[in-house]
Amino acid sequence: MSPKTNSEYLIIYEVKNANPNGDPDDENRPRMDPKTKTNYVSDVRLKRFFRDYVIMKHGIDYVWVTKVDGKHKDATERLEMFGNDPSKVLSSCIDVRLFGATIPKKGKSKGKGSEDEGKGESISYTGPLQLTWGYSLHKVDLMDTRSITSLFSGRDTGAGNIGKDYRVYYSLIAFYGAFSWRRGKETMVTEKDLKVFDNYLWEAIMEESVTRSKIGHYPLLYLRLEHKDPDTLLGDLRRFVKVTQKKENVRGLDDLSIDLSVLANKLKDKGTVYLRCAEEFSEICKPLIGLNPTQLPHKDVKFP
């Protein structure tokens, strides 16, 4: 069944002694605003967690943007794995239905014009679920220790290699997202797809961050507001989250004061709230619990 109304999302997770999202153009340093000391994470990183988790559980047939046998495949090669049929991509791949994609059209071997008629054309789907870049809700400090030494010898000197390993001490990162049900009709998204995202993203942040630079990611809050009014959006929910630093240098959740009461008041009577809170975030979540939300994960969802 297709959704008949909009949804909005608030996703909060913490990162301890890890690199939330390295910038490949800057020695893979965590993305930072040097003036405000705010830590940023791209929407691509969050989507990557979700895609990789789907692949881990169910294989590559259900995700469009992926590696095959550890190698990147361009869109034309990937389309061949779906019999060169864009409709099969849409029906099979949950990331296309949620996030959108550009899918090439197979060139025609014969027809009016030339043998390459149709070559270079593509079908573009704008995803109905869009996520902002995430940002930290407080000032973030880079860890002082940045050098790592490899035991493998250097190519020329035979000595161990020394590289850079940039991490943050602590970052409480918040994302906002919005789902447009009207745009979802184009990608054939279903209510089940939204429920799968509700269930999987939490686990994806936990499971897919188990790498050397990413371990230390912990989801704390996942909230989806499903509006009862099909034409309503509140806008970025992060502006209703009030955070105060108890200390100049934040090293953990206890160094922050977090108030969700303004957010709870904004969500009241707007629709159905789907909620999941970590145990250590339960006291902070009390204003949201007062809304009598539907607790996640959904029990009745099976994928694929």
Side-chain angles (χ1 to χ4, degrees):
M1 184 180 296
S2 300
K4 302 299 182 185
T5 188
N6 297 325
S7 286
E8 293 182 90
Y9 297 78
L10 177 65
I11 300 151
I12 298 177
Y13 63 85
E14 64 180 3
V15 178
K16 297 180 179 179
N17 302 332
N19 188 341
N21 186 208
D23 184 348
D25 294 325
D26 190 21
E27 295 185 314
N28 208 42
R29 287 180 174 90
R31 300 175 190 270
M32 299 283 294
D33 181 333
K35 293 185 178 180
T36 64
K37 297 182 69 176
T38 303
N39 176 209
Y40 289 94
V41 177
S42 75
D43 61 311
V44 175
R45 174 66 270 172
L46 199 60
K47 293 174 183 175
R48 182 77 266 162
F49 280 147
F50 175 74
R51 288 184 171 112
D52 287 348
Y53 186 73
V54 172
I55 293 168
M56 181 189 70
K57 287 183 70 68
H58 306 292
I60 63 172
D61 293 340
Y62 301 99
V63 169
W64 170 246
V65 180
T66 185
K67 294 180 180 179
V68 179
D69 297 327
K71 298 179 181 179
H72 289 284
K73 295 286 185 181
D74 65 28
T76 301
E77 293 175 310
R78 191 77 178 102
L79 184 61
E80 291 175 356
M81 302 180 73
F82 292 91
N84 293 311
D85 186 349
S87 67
K88 288 185 178 179
V89 176
L90 201 61
S91 62
S92 300
C93 298
I94 189 172
D95 62 329
V96 177
R97 296 194 298 273
L98 289 174
F99 308 139
T102 299
I103 302 172
K105 288 183 179 180
K106 180 71 173 179
K108 300 177 182 178
S109 58
K110 293 182 179 181
K112 61 180 181 180
S114 70
E115 290 187 353
D116 290 330
E117 185 188 357
K119 188 175 182 180
E121 296 181 3
S122 61
I123 303 171
S124 292
Y125 295 104
T126 300
L129 175 53
Q130 297 295 326
L131 298 163
T132 63
W133 275 44
Y135 58 72
S136 63
L137 299 173
H138 57 92
K139 294 180 180 180
V140 171
D141 296 317
L142 289 174
M143 293 181 69
D144 295 330
T145 303
R146 300 171 189 173
S147 296
I148 55 172
T149 303
S150 169
L151 295 179
F152 292 99
S153 62
R155 180 180 299 175
D156 300 320
T157 65
N161 289 323
I162 297 178
K164 295 294 185 181
D165 183 19
Y166 295 98
R167 298 171 183 244
V168 300
Y169 284 108
Y170 186 83
S171 185
L172 186 68
I173 299 165
F175 282 84
Y176 167 72
F179 170 80
S180 167
W181 69 275
R182 290 186 175 88
R183 191 171 291 146
K185 291 189 289 186
E186 181 184 8
T187 65
M188 298 192 303
V189 73
T190 65
E191 290 183 357
K192 177 181 174 180
D193 291 333
L194 295 185
K195 289 182 177 181
V196 170
F197 188 76
D198 288 343
N199 283 4
Y200 277 17
L201 187 62
W202 185 282
E203 307 300 338
I205 294 169
M206 291 286 291
E207 293 272 355
E208 298 306 320
S209 64
V210 183
T211 66
R212 185 181 177 278
S213 66
K214 292 289 184 291
I215 192 167
H217 286 57
Y218 303 98
L220 296 175
L221 181 146
Y222 179 98
L223 180 149
R224 174 162 70 97
L225 169 64
E226 185 179 73
H227 284 279
K228 60 183 180 183
D229 176 359
D231 297 316
T232 296
L233 284 172
L234 295 176
D236 197 333
L237 299 179
R238 292 173 295 185
R239 71 188 193 274
F240 306 128
V241 178
K242 306 304 177 183
V243 177
T244 305
Q245 292 185 206
K246 299 177 184 177
K247 298 180 180 179
E248 177 63 26
N249 302 112
V250 177
R251 296 295 182 264
L253 189 60
D254 291 340
D255 294 336
L256 298 170
S257 176
I258 305 167
D259 184 359
L260 300 181
S261 59
V262 174
L263 174 64
N265 287 333
K266 292 292 182 180
L267 302 183
K268 189 176 181 181
D269 299 325
K270 294 296 190 299
T272 302
V273 174
Y274 298 95
L275 183 69
R276 187 170 181 178
C277 287
E279 183 177 351
E280 57 268 42
F281 220 62
S282 58
E283 283 295 315
I284 297 169
C285 282
K286 277 188 174 180
L288 299 176
I289 300 297
L291 299 175
N292 296 316
T294 298
Q295 294 290 339
L296 297 175
H298 301 280
K299 305 298 184 185
D300 59 340
V301 177
K302 292 183 180 180
F303 182 83

